[in-house]
């Protein structure tokens, strides 16, 4: 890195005149070096984006001796799985996560006119002696790819996989120090650790969780072995429950409704459900009652869970039929259970809405996202023994699995007694930060500052990231441009998914066209996608899931975020959240392509980073939310007739939608017709663009009561999803009488409140995008 840094400092010194500095690779004895050529500047030459070479240097393998720098990416620590080990190999380059902070001082004198700054200070004027040197985009891309080889990726992943990575453990503390030391070796501007004291739940070694048969007389009988006492469900309710066993597929609402329709009532029983499709928390957590809609921790009214249907407890097992049966690829051991927390939310559930700093006085509340029934993971072997005991109706064909030589039955079966003795422990966790500042000083600097982060406590529901966000909630939307998560980046190599905010969709499309596919020679990732589906975004783009750290950045803070994932084509990665999720198994699943896939992830994140940190105008597509609103309007239109019969209308939200679309188009036209070299105007545009996501956080609900305030991606009665769910009750209202209400049916007063919350948040976004109040022109 020092070599590259010196080159850019030389570039600053050698380009004092109004000229372009073009860096070229040199073949022969000096191959790998760059030399400079002076070109006369031409009027109207294209302004190009640039990147900072400091991001390209990776850390030395842990425990190795210093050697010639080899530029590799690193990743986040703090989780159990091998995909997270890939992240630990990707941290320094793209970070486990990237925050593109707006640099209020940031510029690059070596980059001349193409370097502009986003700032609230619209009176900022660039230095008059800005140099006019330019780095061509094609050369920068070539240099980026040259220094980003597969290199020591495998060695770093392999070595990290040997370390203990449980939050609060001695092994995790040692890994934290190693990551901090690696960041410090890069000579970043700032490296620091952020410590939180959080409530985590662990098994009690003196009183392990148990599962027993219970006979008809109620006497506790044979104990069923839970093979690994370290595999449990954090934040499960503690205690013991007894009930008959029922098989409930994945535990989705439709599964439980189907179960009831077939004459098998889940009330008072233990449910046996399969891993997958929905998160562990969704399998357990009840739907919020009407009176709970605005209580702290309630995350939405569409979450399906056993508790909602009156079940006593839940057993979760990995069904072999859900994973790859390809003989060359490894499969999960039949004696291995799958770990997963059951808090429907993120962060420390014992300090909802508040950062868990030491000595902070918290109110005596807990997240209502905590379940009140116990849950326990079990292995496929134990599940097989349970399934053999079930009688009752035969399960539907799509519910069948491969554990038995005969069809699965729904039950009920024999009674079981589940005892969960997990205990809560106050645990220090450490997030690690490294920062490259953007600034107006000599030498090459990124336009916008870059912050690289390794979160702790991720296995417990993005605890480290959420607690940090809660501590800086009031300032992040003013400074943070975007967040890039590489969590779960490599789970296969057949398909690529981007779970993202709509603002980043167009930029992702552009980047996919520049990155080679890791398993289709001669094709870019974009070409690979459109070969099977011309609608690339339908194939690639997915909504942000709550179990991703990226979700809180968007739904809680209002910062656009993206999480990249390479996936298997037809089956889930079998080892996620298990002790078998090792480097060796990940390597076997990818059949030797792990370095190539990891390199593709690094290229994706790197190209995205280059654009976000150096484009004159932020490459966020603010017009995309107009398409999102239009798509949802179609769903609302379905109920216009029902509402009209009750004297109600959706006209308000239609008007707000129109105002937003007009405001987005007006801003687009302003930018198109503006003077490209007007620094002050560009900065004003960038401030408006970077806050679009924040505009969709409802300002009419409390962050403490409804932390995920985003009207499209959040959870709560203020969201579009909640409004649609409420409107569906119009079709199920038993009375069918206009104006009629019930505790479970459509309620006109609630509808009016929901419509007002949604409409005024959307209208506020339109007004904010329009700019100054005297420029707002809407029909509302």
């Amino acid at each position: 890195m020092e070599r590259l840094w010196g080159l850019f400092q030389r570039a600053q010194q050698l380009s004092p005149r109004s000229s372009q500095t073009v860096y070229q690779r040199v073949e022969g004895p000096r191959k790998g070096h760059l030399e400079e050529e002076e070109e006369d500047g031409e009027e109207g030459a294209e302004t190009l984006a640039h990147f900072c070479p400091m991001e390209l240097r990776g850390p030395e393998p842990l425990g190795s001796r210093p050697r010639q720098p080899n530029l590799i990416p690193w990743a986040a620590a703090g989780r159990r799985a091998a995909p997270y080990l890939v992240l630990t190999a990707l941290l320094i380059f793209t970070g486990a996560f990237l925050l593109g902070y707006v640099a209020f001082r940031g510029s690059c004198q070596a980059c001349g006119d193409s370097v502009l700054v986003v700032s609230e200070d619209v009176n900022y004027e660039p230095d008059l002696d800005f140099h006019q040197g330019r780095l061509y985009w094609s050369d920068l891309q070539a240099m980026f790819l040259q220094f980003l080889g597969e290199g020591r990726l495998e060695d770093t992943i392999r070595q990290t996989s040997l370390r203990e990575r449980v939050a609060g453990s001695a092994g995790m503390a040692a890994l934290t120090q190693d990551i901090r030391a690696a960041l410090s070796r890069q000579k970043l501007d700032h490296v620091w650790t952020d410590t939180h004291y959080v409530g985590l739940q662990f098994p009690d070694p003196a009183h392990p969780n148990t599962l027993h048969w219970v006979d008809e007389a109620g006497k506790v009988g044979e104990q069923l072995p839970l093979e690994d006492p370290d595999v449990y469900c954090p934040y499960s309710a503690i205690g013991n429950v007894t009930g008959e066993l029922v098989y409930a597929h994945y535990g989705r609402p439709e599964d439980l409704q189907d179960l009831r329709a077939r004459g098998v009532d889940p009330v008072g029983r233990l449910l046996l459900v399969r891993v997958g499709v929905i998160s562990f928390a969704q399998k357990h957590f009840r739907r919020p009652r009407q009176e709970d809609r605005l209580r702290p921790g309630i995350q939405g009214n569409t979450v399906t869970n056993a508790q909602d249907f009156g079940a006593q407890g839940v057993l979760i097992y990995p069904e072999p039929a859900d994973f790859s049966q390809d003989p060359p690829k490894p499969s999960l051991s039949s004696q291995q259970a799958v770990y997963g927390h059951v808090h429907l939310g993120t962060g420390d559930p014992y300090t909802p809405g508040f950062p868990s700093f030491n000595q902070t006085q918290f109110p005596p509340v807990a997240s209502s996202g905590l379940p009140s029934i116990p849950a326990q993971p079990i292995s496929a072997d134990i599940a097989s023994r349970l399934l053999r005991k079930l009688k009752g109706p035969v399960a539907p064909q799509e519910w069948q699995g491969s554990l038995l030589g005969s069809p699965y039955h729904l039950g009920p079966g024999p009674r079981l007694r589940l005892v969960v003795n997990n205990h809560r422990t106050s645990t220090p966790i450490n997030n690690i930060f490294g920062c490259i500042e953007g600034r107006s000083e000599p030498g090459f600097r990124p336009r916008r500052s870059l912050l690289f982060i390794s979160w702790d406590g991720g296995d417990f529901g993005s605890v480290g990231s959420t607690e940090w966000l809660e501590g800086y909630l009031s300032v992040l939307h003013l400074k943070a441009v975007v967040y890039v998560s590489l969590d779960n980046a490599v789970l296969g190599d057949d398909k690529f998914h981007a779970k993202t905010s709509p603002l980043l969709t167009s930029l992702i499309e552009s980047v996919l066209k520049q990155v080679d596919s890791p398993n289709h020679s001669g094709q870019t990732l974009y070409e690979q996608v459109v070969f099977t589906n011309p609608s690339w975004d339908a194939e690639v783009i997915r909504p942000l899931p709550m179990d991703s750290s990226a979700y809180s950045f968007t739904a809680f803070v209002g910062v656009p975020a993206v999480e990249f994932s390479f996936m298997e084509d037809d089956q889930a990665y079998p080892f996620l959240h298990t002790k078998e999720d090792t480097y060796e198994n990940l390597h076997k699943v990818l059949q030797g392509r792990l370095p190539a896939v990891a390199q593709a992830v690094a290229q994706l994140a790197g190209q995205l980073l280059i654009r976000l940190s150096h484009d004159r105008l932020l490459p966020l597509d603010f017009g995309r939310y107009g398409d999102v609103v239009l798509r949802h309007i179609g769903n609302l239109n379905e109920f216009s007739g029902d509402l009209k019969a009750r004297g109600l209308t959706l006209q308000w939200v239609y008007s707000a939608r129109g105002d937003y679309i007009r405001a987005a188009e007006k801003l687009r036209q302003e930018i198109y017709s503006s003077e490209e070299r007007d620094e002050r105007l560009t900065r004003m545009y960038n401030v408006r663009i970077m806050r679009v996501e924040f505009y969709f956080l409802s300002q009419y609900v409390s962050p403490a009561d409804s932390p995920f305030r985003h009207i499209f991606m959040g959870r709560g009665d203020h969201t579009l999803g909640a409004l649609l769910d409420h409107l569906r009750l119009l079709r199920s209202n038993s009375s069918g009488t206009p104006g009629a209400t019930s505790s479970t049916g459509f309620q006109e007063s609630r509808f009016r409140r929901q419509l007002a919350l949604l409409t005024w948040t959307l209208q506020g976004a339109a007004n904010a995008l329009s700019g100054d109040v005297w420029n707002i022109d809407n029909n509302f």
Side-chain angles (χ1 to χ4, degrees):
M1 181 184 353
E2 291 81 1
R3 180 161 52 106
L4 283 174
W5 182 245
L7 285 171
F8 280 101
Q9 288 182 318
R10 263 186 83 201
Q12 169 64 26
Q13 298 166 0
L14 294 176
S15 56
R17 303 182 307 275
S18 177
S19 62
Q20 300 182 52
T21 302
V22 182
Y23 294 93
Q24 297 182 338
R25 292 189 301 277
V26 180
E27 303 299 331
R30 298 179 61 221
K31 183 175 180 179
H33 289 264
L34 303 174
E35 69 178 5
E36 301 138 3
E37 289 184 355
E38 295 292 322
E39 288 188 359
D40 292 333
E42 294 181 8
E43 184 68 21
E46 182 180 0
T47 299
L48 301 168
H50 316 296
F51 75 84
C52 174
M54 295 186 74
E55 298 131 30
L56 303 181
R57 166 86 183 277
E60 304 294 330
L62 300 177
S64 68
R65 294 176 299 174
R67 51 184 290 190
Q68 184 70 15
N70 195 4
L71 303 173
I72 64 173
W74 255 52
R79 299 239 190 178
R80 301 166 185 264
Y84 308 133
L85 307 182
V86 176
L87 304 188
T88 305
L90 292 171
L91 176 60
I92 297 268
F93 166 57
T94 51
F97 311 94
L98 161 68
L99 273 171
Y101 268 84
V102 175
F104 295 123
R105 300 177 295 154
S107 71
C108 161
Q109 293 187 356
C111 298
D113 295 338
S114 66
V115 175
L116 302 169
V117 185
V118 180
S119 171
E120 289 184 333
D121 180 12
V122 296
N123 294 317
Y124 168 87
E125 294 290 351
D127 294 337
L128 296 178
D129 61 344
F130 255 42
H131 302 293
Q132 304 299 314
R134 294 185 179 179
L135 295 168
Y136 285 129
W137 173 255
S138 58
D139 289 330
L140 289 171
Q141 278 189 311
M143 183 170 65
F144 169 69
L145 296 176
Q146 174 188 352
F147 286 97
L148 182 67
E150 295 176 10
R152 301 186 308 273
L153 273 172
E154 276 195 284
D155 289 339
T156 305
I157 296 169
R158 185 187 294 109
Q159 292 177 35
T160 308
S161 71
L162 302 175
R163 310 287 289 273
E164 184 183 12
R165 297 176 303 280
V166 178
S169 67
M172 188 62 195
L175 184 58
T176 296
Q177 293 302 317
D178 286 341
I179 294 175
R180 176 165 180 163
L183 285 169
S184 297
R185 286 198 299 269
Q186 309 314 307
K187 298 184 178 179
L188 305 183
D189 294 303
H190 307 284
V191 177
W192 73 98
T193 300
D194 181 72
T195 301
H196 295 267
Y197 292 80
V198 297
L200 303 183
Q201 203 183 71
F202 296 97
D204 185 346
H207 303 91
N209 300 344
T210 60
L211 183 65
H212 289 82
W213 294 113
V214 176
D215 64 22
E216 294 181 358
K219 183 179 179 181
V220 176
E222 175 192 359
Q223 180 174 345
L224 291 159
L226 301 177
E227 292 94 343
D228 189 344
D230 291 333
V231 180
Y232 67 110
C233 288
Y235 305 124
S236 164
I238 60 173
N240 64 84
V241 293
T242 301
E244 295 176 314
L245 184 69
V246 168
Y247 172 53
H249 202 209
Y250 294 109
R252 298 170 299 182
E254 56 266 38
D255 296 332
L256 297 172
Q257 290 164 0
D258 195 0
L259 192 66
R260 185 175 284 170
R262 294 172 185 270
V264 182
D265 196 341
V267 172
R269 288 167 167 157
L270 294 179
L271 300 189
L272 178 65
V273 300
R274 291 151 74 146
V275 170
V277 180
I278 58 176
S279 72
F280 278 28
Q282 288 173 306
K283 294 176 189 293
H284 304 85
F285 187 70
R286 63 178 172 84
R287 296 168 184 253
R289 301 186 303 273
Q290 178 61 33
E291 61 269 24
D292 284 339
R293 300 283 178 191
L294 295 178
R295 285 176 51 196
I298 291 298
Q299 309 301 333
N301 61 355
T302 60
V303 178
T304 306
N305 48 73
Q307 188 173 312
D308 183 42
F309 282 79
Q312 290 270 53
V314 183
L315 301 172
I316 309 171
Y317 81 98
E319 169 58 55
D322 291 336
F323 302 104
S324 176
Q325 305 300 310
D326 188 359
K329 295 185 177 181
S331 58
L332 186 67
S333 165
S334 63
Q335 298 180 341
Q336 180 67 61
V338 177
Y339 168 100
H341 77 89
V342 293
H343 172 219
L344 190 68
T346 62
D348 183 350
Y350 305 109
T351 61
F354 298 90
S356 298
F357 292 116
N358 198 20
Q359 306 302 324
T360 302
Q361 298 299 311
F362 300 110
V365 297
S367 168
S368 54
L370 291 171
S372 62
I373 62 175
Q376 175 66 33
I378 61 173
S379 68
D381 277 354
I382 298 302
S384 177
R385 293 179 60 180
L386 299 179
L387 285 165
R388 283 191 171 89
K389 298 286 187 178
L390 294 182
K391 302 188 184 302
V394 174
Q397 181 59 41
E398 60 272 20
W399 291 31
Q400 296 298 324
S402 59
L403 283 175
L404 307 179
S406 57
Y408 290 9
H409 287 253
L410 298 177
R415 299 175 74 196
L416 292 166
R417 183 171 186 263
L418 172 64
V419 179
V420 173
N421 292 317
N422 303 337
H423 66 284
R424 170 186 168 187
T425 302
S426 180
T427 307
I429 61 172
N430 298 290
N431 301 322
I432 311 157
F433 298 79
C435 178
I436 302 172
E437 283 192 78
R439 62 180 67 177
S440 52
E441 295 179 2
F444 189 88
R445 288 284 182 178
R447 219 183 122 75
R448 302 175 184 97
S449 299
L450 305 176
L451 186 60
F452 303 96
I453 314 171
S454 174
W455 300 122
D456 199 353
D459 273 344
F460 294 84
S462 302
V463 173
S465 59
T466 302
E467 295 308 306
W468 185 75
L469 289 175
E470 288 175 339
Y472 300 96
L473 179 63
S474 62
V475 298
L476 279 177
H477 72 280
L478 300 174
K479 296 184 177 182
V481 174
V482 74
Y483 175 87
V484 179
S485 168
L486 300 181
D487 213 353
N488 292 325
V490 181
L491 300 174
D493 67 344
D494 294 321
K495 286 188 173 182
F496 172 75
H497 288 162
K499 304 160 190 174
T500 186
S501 158
L503 292 175
L504 290 165
T505 302
S506 296
L507 179 58
I508 291 169
E509 178 182 12
S510 173
V511 170
L512 288 178
K513 294 177 180 179
Q514 302 173 37
V515 176
D516 291 335
S517 167
N519 58 359
H520 288 72
S521 180
Q523 286 188 332
T524 64
L525 277 172
Y526 182 83
E527 290 168 339
Q528 175 186 334
V529 168
V530 297
F531 182 79
T532 56
N533 188 347
S535 178
W536 81 272
D537 51 346
E539 185 73 14
V540 170
I541 302 300
R542 297 289 185 273
L544 285 167
M546 184 185 283
D547 58 0
S548 166
S549 61
Y551 177 82
S552 292
F553 272 80
T554 298
F556 180 48
V557 180
V559 174
V562 60
E563 178 178 289
F564 297 128
S565 294
F566 280 92
M567 317 283 290
E568 288 294 283
D569 191 16
D570 54 349
Q571 299 288 344
Y573 176 70
F575 305 110
L576 195 62
H577 299 301
T578 74
K579 288 187 174 181
E580 295 183 17
D581 193 6
T582 62
Y583 160 78
E584 288 76 17
N585 278 334
L586 181 61
H587 190 275
K588 290 176 184 176
V589 166
L590 293 172
Q591 298 181 319
R593 292 190 294 271
L594 176 56
V597 178
Q599 184 185 31
V601 171
Q603 290 182 19
L604 278 164
Q607 301 275 16
L608 198 75
L609 181 151
I610 292 169
R611 293 287 309 279
L612 288 165
S613 62
H614 288 286
D615 274 16
R616 180 187 67 89
L617 198 70
L618 284 172
L620 302 178
D621 190 353
F622 50 86
R624 280 277 181 171
Y625 266 115
D627 299 334
V628 171
V629 176
L630 283 175
R631 185 166 63 249
H632 288 300
I633 288 294
N635 296 326
L636 292 174
N637 283 336
E638 179 185 346
F639 303 97
S640 57
D642 302 86
L643 291 172
K644 187 176 182 180
R646 294 169 176 264
L648 302 171
T649 179
L650 292 167
Q651 184 57 45
W652 286 2
V653 75
Y654 296 158
S655 297
R657 177 263 301 173
D659 289 339
Y660 180 84
I661 293 175
R662 284 188 291 273
E665 181 57 30
K666 180 181 178 182
L667 178 57
R668 196 187 306 276
Q669 290 298 325
E670 284 182 26
I671 293 171
Y672 179 78
S673 58
S674 66
E675 171 55 51
E676 183 177 359
R677 297 176 183 270
D678 190 326
E679 171 79 8
R680 184 181 303 176
L681 193 58
T682 299
R683 290 156 65 86
M684 292 175 62
Y685 288 146
N686 279 335
V687 168
R688 286 160 68 181
I689 292 170
M690 68 175 284
R691 295 183 187 170
V692 167
E693 200 77 70
F694 178 76
Y695 300 154
F696 290 109
L697 300 187
S698 178
Q699 306 301 306
Y700 306 100
V701 295
S702 165
D705 293 338
S706 300
F708 302 121
R709 294 178 292 150
H710 202 290
I711 59 173
F712 299 118
M713 303 182 203
R715 309 282 181 178
D717 228 34
H718 59 283
T719 64
L720 180 59
L723 177 63
L724 283 169
D725 282 340
H726 191 195
L727 287 174
R728 291 187 182 102
L729 296 177
L730 285 168
R731 305 290 172 85
S732 60
N733 194 338
S734 58
S735 68
T737 304
T741 61
S742 70
S743 60
T744 58
F746 179 83
Q747 299 181 32
E748 182 175 321
S749 60
R750 179 186 166 208
F751 165 78
R752 289 182 180 276
R753 184 178 189 279
Q754 285 181 303
L755 187 63
L757 289 173
L758 177 68
T759 300
W760 282 107
T761 302
L762 183 57
Q763 186 65 47
N767 293 345
L769 198 62
S770 296
D772 295 313
V773 291
W774 51 84
N775 290 326
I776 296 175
D777 179 20
N778 57 53
N779 298 321
F780 199 69

